[in-house]
Amino acid sequence: MVLISGAVTWSAPGQAARSEDDKIVLNFVNADIPSVIKAVGELTGRNFVIDPRVKGTIIITSAKPVPLNLVYPILLSALRMQGYAAIEGPGATKIVPETEAKHSLKVTRGKQINESGDRIVTQVYPLQHESAAQLLPVLKPLVGPNNMISVLPSSNALIITDYADNLHRLNAIIEAVDQPVSSDAVQISLKHVSAIDLGQTLSRLITESNAATTDPQSRIVIVPDVRTNSLLVRSGNPSRIQMLRELAEKLDSPGAQGGGIHVVYLRNADAKKLAETLRGILAGSPLVAPTAQPAQNAAQVAISGGGDGSMVIADQATNSLVINAPDHTYNMLRAVIDKLDARRAQVYVEALVVEVTAEKAAEFGIQWQDLGNINDSGTNFIGGTNFGAKGSGTNIIDVAVNPTNAGRGLNVGVVSGTVTIPGIGTITNLGMLARALETDADANILSTPNLLTLDNEEAKIVIGQNVPFVTGQYAQTGSATTATPFQTIERRDVGLTLKVKPQVSEGGTVRMQIYQEMSSLRPTSTTTQTADVITDKRSIESVVLVEDGRIIALGGLIEDTWQDSIDKVPLLGDMPLFGHLFRSESRTRKKTNLMVFLRPHVLRDADSGLELSQGRYEYIRNRQVEHQMQPHFAMPEFKMDMLPELRPPTK
C-alpha cells in the first residue's frame, strides 16, 4: 500500500512496475492540478498533455486504499468538477477545458457504448419508431450544460455529446421510448356498409376533433381498404380507436330488405358514361345463382341489367349516380366507382409552327420595234420584238400604248414622237425598251398555339379565316325572260389548324394523335384564270410517343422550286454578247421549309395547372403594363383596362 499526499509529484525511482491489484491511498488537499496530473501519470504510466489554461487547485482524498486501475477514473471525475475533460489519443491524453473537448472526441454509432466513467463521447443514435425531432425537447434538459444534443432529420437520428455515464442513462430512456406502438394499424372489418362511404362519414366526424387537439398521439387517421371492405385506423390513443370501432359496428347494419337506395356524388367522372359502364358490369356479373325469377323481377332485370334487381340511374343535373342494390352488390359497385372517379390527368401542349420562305427572282431583256413608217403611204416596213404576255407589263406594245403599264423594275426606252395606229389611236413611238428587275423576298411565319385538354380527349385550335367556296351553281329561268343565277357555298377554315388527342400512360409517356395544317389563299393573278380561289395547304398527320416535358419535331417539308425562262429571236438571240439585245431572260427560285415542334406537359393535380395558368396570366398582364400609352400634352389620355392582379387562393 502506498500513500500519495500533498501537492508534490511523487516518484519511486528504481521500483518495480506496479500491478493493477496494488492499493493506493490518495490524499491531495488544495494541490496544484498539473502536479496531480503528473503524479497520476507516473502511477498509471499514462502520458498527459496539459493545456496552459488548465490551472487551479484540486482536492482528492480516499478514506480507504483504492486499486491502481481506479486512479485514472478518479482523476477524470475530479477534473470534471473543475470544468476540465480528457481527450484520449494515440500515445497521450490531452487535458483541456470542457467546452473544447466536444470538438476532438471519440464518435460511436449505434446503441452500445463501450466507454464508461467521465469520458466525453459523441454518439449517433438512430431511432426506429419515434420521431427524433419530437424526442429532442424531452432529452435536452438531461444533457450537461456544456454538452449538446441535436437531430439529423434525414435519417431520424439523435447526435448526443456527453459523458459516457450520462450517455448510458440517456440510452436507457431512448430505448424505453423508441418502441413500436401497438395501435399503428388496426383493421375494422365491415359486413354490410361500404368501407368508402363509412370512411368518408367517419372522416368528416373526426376532422374537427383532430383540428382541436394539440396532442399528435390523439389524432386518428382512417383509410378505407376496398379489397377487403374494411377500415384501416391508426392512432396513438387506444381509447379513441376503441370508440371508433364501436361506432363502426353500430353503423355496419344491414340495409332494407331487397336492397337500398344510395346516392353517389361524382367528383371527376361523367355520371351518364359511368352509369353505362356499371350497367355493363351488372349485366355480365353472376351476382346471384341462376334460379327461376318471378315475372316482375325478370322485367326489372331487363331494365336494370342486374340479376338481383339492381338498378343504376344517372342524374346529370347533379352529376351523381342513384343506385338501388343489395349491400353486397352496392359495395362491389362502390369500389368500382371509387377507382373510375379518380382525377384525370390533363395535358398542356405547347406548339411551335415555323414556316420559312425565301423567294428570289431576276429579269433582264431588251425589246425593239420600228413603227415610224406606219403612217406613210405606199408599202412600208415595220417590225420588232416583244417578249412577255400581253397585259403583264413586260411587253413593249403595252408600254407603248400607255407608259404607266410598265412593270416593276428598271424600264429604259427610246421614244421618237407618236404614231397613230388604226383601231388603237395615237400611241408613243417606242423604239426600244430595256428592262431589269431583281427581287428578294423572305418570310418567317411563326405561330405558337397552346392547348389544354383532358387525358384521352381531343383538343382543337383554329387561327385563320372562314372562307366561302363555291360548290355549285346553275341558272333557273322558268317562265322569266332573264335567268336567275343560283350558287351553293361551303365555308372552310383557312389558316392554322392544330388537333391533338393525348393519352397518358402510368409511366409518364404521352401518346399523341396529331393533325396540323397550314393553309393560305393564293394571291389572284391576271395571268391565271381559275373557277374559284386557290389555297395552298401543308398538313401533317401522325401518332407519336413522347416523354413528359420533352420536345418532338415534325415536318421538315422542304420545297425548292427553280424556274428559268428565255424569250429570244432565233439566231440573233444566240449570238455572243450581241445576243442579249434580242432576248429576254427571267429566273425564279422559291424555297419553303415547314417545321412543327410539340412539347406536352402532364398536369396531374390542381397545383400544377394553377402554376401554369398564373404564369401565362402574368405574362399577358406584364405586356399590358409595357404598352400603356404615354401622356401627351395635345391628345387625350385613353387608359387600357388592365387585368386584375392575381391573389393567392384562400384555402
Side-chain angles (χ1 to χ4, degrees):
M1 183 180 67
V2 179
L3 174 64
I4 306 299
S5 63
V8 182
T9 302
W10 178 89
S11 61
Q15 190 174 359
R18 297 183 178 276
S19 65
E20 295 293 333
D21 296 332
D22 289 346
K23 301 287 186 177
I24 297 176
V25 177
L26 301 176
N27 187 17
F28 294 99
V29 179
N30 294 326
D32 183 57
I33 293 179
S35 300
V36 175
I37 295 174
K38 185 176 181 181
V40 173
E42 294 179 354
L43 284 173
T44 59
R46 289 179 175 268
N47 298 322
F48 289 97
V49 177
I50 305 174
D51 191 282
R53 291 169 293 179
V54 178
K55 300 177 181 179
T57 59
I58 195 171
I59 299 176
I60 302 176
T61 60
S62 58
K64 297 180 180 180
V66 296
L68 182 61
N69 58 356
L70 294 181
V71 173
Y72 177 66
I74 292 174
L75 175 64
L76 294 182
S77 300
L79 293 176
R80 178 182 177 183
M81 300 295 294
Q82 301 296 325
Y84 303 118
I87 301 174
E88 297 177 357
T93 300
K94 294 186 291 185
I95 307 299
V96 297
E98 186 182 36
T99 55
E100 295 187 6
K102 64 183 68 176
H103 301 297
S104 302
L105 39 83
K106 186 176 181 181
V107 179
T108 63
R109 295 174 177 85
K111 302 178 182 180
Q112 300 296 328
I113 301 178
N114 297 326
E115 305 295 333
S116 61
D118 290 319
R119 295 177 175 87
I120 293 183
V121 181
T122 294
Q123 181 192 22
V124 180
Y125 196 112
L127 300 178
Q128 301 296 328
H129 306 284
E130 288 296 329
S131 170
Q134 295 182 359
L135 201 57
L136 176 64
V138 178
L139 300 178
K140 194 169 185 179
L142 304 179
V143 179
N146 292 329
N147 298 317
M148 59 174 289
I149 178 173
S150 58
V151 173
L152 187 62
S154 59
S155 59
N156 193 37
L158 292 171
I159 302 177
I160 308 173
T161 300
D162 205 347
Y163 291 97
D165 286 345
N166 197 31
L167 279 178
H168 285 291
R169 291 189 292 270
L170 293 175
N171 285 353
I173 297 174
I174 296 174
E175 187 175 358
V177 174
D178 188 29
Q179 297 294 330
V181 182
S182 59
S183 58
D184 273 349
V186 176
Q187 181 180 9
I188 303 177
S189 301
L190 304 175
K191 298 179 181 179
H192 306 286
V193 300
S194 169
I196 299 175
D197 290 343
L198 186 57
Q200 293 177 353
T201 302
L202 295 178
S203 296
R204 288 194 298 268
L205 181 64
I206 66 173
T207 298
E208 296 183 0
S209 176
N210 284 342
T213 181
T214 58
D215 183 11
Q217 297 294 329
S218 299
R219 296 181 179 179
I220 301 179
V221 178
I222 302 175
V223 178
D225 181 56
V226 179
R227 187 182 64 85
T228 60
N229 194 41
S230 60
L231 297 177
L232 301 179
V233 183
R234 183 182 184 277
S235 177
N237 192 335
S239 62
R240 301 203 69 187
I241 294 181
Q242 182 61 28
M243 178 270 295
L244 193 65
R245 183 191 297 274
E246 295 175 357
L247 182 58
E249 291 176 354
K250 293 179 180 179
L251 296 177
D252 186 26
S253 58
Q257 185 66 26
I261 299 178
H262 308 269
V263 179
V264 181
Y265 294 96
L266 303 178
R267 299 185 299 269
N268 304 289
D270 181 76
K272 183 178 180 181
K273 295 181 179 179
L274 187 54
E276 295 175 358
T277 303
L278 297 179
R279 293 190 190 106
I281 295 175
L282 291 175
S285 178
L287 300 176
V288 295
T291 56
Q293 298 288 340
Q296 183 178 1
N297 194 14
Q300 189 179 25
V301 170
I303 296 174
S304 64
D308 57 355
S310 303
M311 298 181 64
V312 179
I313 302 173
D315 183 48
Q316 292 183 307
T318 59
N319 195 39
S320 59
L321 298 174
V322 181
I323 303 176
N324 185 9
D327 291 340
H328 66 281
T329 303
Y330 171 74
N331 292 339
M332 183 270 295
L333 295 178
R334 191 66 180 86
V336 176
I337 294 171
D338 186 66
K339 293 183 179 295
L340 297 181
D341 192 32
R343 179 186 179 91
R344 294 174 62 184
Q346 297 186 98
V347 180
Y348 178 77
V349 181
E350 292 181 294
L352 178 65
V353 182
V354 183
E355 184 180 23
V356 180
T357 303
E359 184 174 1
K360 302 180 185 298
E363 179 183 347
F364 181 81
I366 299 177
Q367 303 175 55
W368 303 87
Q369 70 177 359
D370 182 10
L371 302 176
N373 299 326
I374 194 171
N375 294 324
D376 295 342
S377 60
T379 302
N380 300 303
F381 175 80
I382 62 173
T385 62
N386 65 84
F387 306 120
K390 187 178 180 181
S392 63
T394 62
N395 191 288
I396 190 173
I397 298 176
D398 293 338
V399 179
V401 174
N402 185 358
T404 61
N405 291 332
R408 297 180 304 164
L410 176 64
N411 296 271
V412 179
V414 177
V415 179
S416 178
T418 60
V419 295
T420 301
I421 300 177
I424 297 179
T426 302
I427 66 173
T428 303
N429 187 11
L430 182 62
M432 185 201 70
L433 175 65
R435 283 182 40 79
L437 172 66
E438 182 176 352
T439 61
D440 189 352
D442 295 326
N444 185 4
I445 302 175
L446 178 65
S447 301
T448 57
N450 296 327
L451 294 173
L452 179 62
T453 181
L454 283 173
D455 179 22
N456 211 26
E457 296 289 344
E458 183 180 282
K460 177 182 178 181
I461 185 172
V462 178
I463 305 173
Q465 298 174 313
N466 191 255
V467 181
F469 291 84
V470 178
T471 58
Q473 58 183 353
Y474 64 92
Q476 181 179 4
T477 58
S479 59
T481 57
T482 59
T484 304
F486 182 84
Q487 290 182 335
T488 58
I489 295 176
E490 178 185 358
R491 290 188 171 272
R492 301 176 187 173
D493 295 326
V494 176
L496 171 65
T497 301
L498 177 62
K499 292 192 293 185
V500 178
K501 184 178 181 180
Q503 185 177 4
V504 183
S505 66
E506 288 297 328
T509 304
V510 183
R511 179 181 184 271
M512 292 194 298
Q513 298 180 14
I514 304 168
Y515 177 79
Q516 191 275 329
E517 177 184 306
M518 286 282 294
S519 58
S520 60
L521 295 176
R522 179 174 294 183
T524 57
S525 174
T526 57
T527 62
T528 304
Q529 300 295 330
T530 60
D532 204 350
V533 296
I534 300 176
T535 58
D536 295 327
K537 177 181 176 181
R538 294 162 298 281
S539 64
I540 300 173
E541 187 171 3
S542 179
V543 179
V544 299
L545 284 176
V546 59
E547 299 295 329
D548 180 17
R550 299 292 180 87
I551 298 177
I552 59 170
L554 301 176
L557 176 62
I558 300 177
E559 179 183 2
D560 201 350
T561 305
W562 289 79
Q563 184 177 359
D564 190 358
S565 63
I566 301 177
D567 295 336
K568 63 182 178 180
V569 177
L571 299 179
L572 296 177
D574 295 328
M575 296 174 59
L577 298 178
F578 293 100
H580 292 286
L581 300 176
F582 300 97
R583 66 186 179 192
S584 177
E585 300 181 50
S586 63
R587 297 178 181 178
T588 304
R589 182 185 182 184
K590 184 177 181 180
K591 189 174 183 180
T592 303
N593 190 359
L594 175 65
M595 291 292 294
V596 179
F597 302 92
L598 297 175
R599 178 166 63 179
H601 298 274
V602 181
L603 310 178
R604 299 187 181 274
D605 52 29
D607 292 338
S608 56
L610 178 62
E611 180 181 356
L612 183 65
S613 300
Q614 285 182 344
R616 299 301 186 271
Y617 186 93
E618 291 296 337
Y619 174 80
I620 297 298
R621 191 174 186 277
N622 292 336
R623 299 291 82 76
Q624 284 187 330
V625 174
E626 293 177 0
H627 291 84
Q628 282 285 2
M629 294 183 181
Q630 298 297 326
H632 194 277
F633 73 95
M635 292 187 294
E637 182 179 359
F638 298 99
K639 292 186 177 181
M640 182 188 303
D641 293 334
M642 295 290 298
L643 293 173
E645 185 177 357
L646 286 179
R647 299 180 181 272
T650 57
K651 297 183 179 180

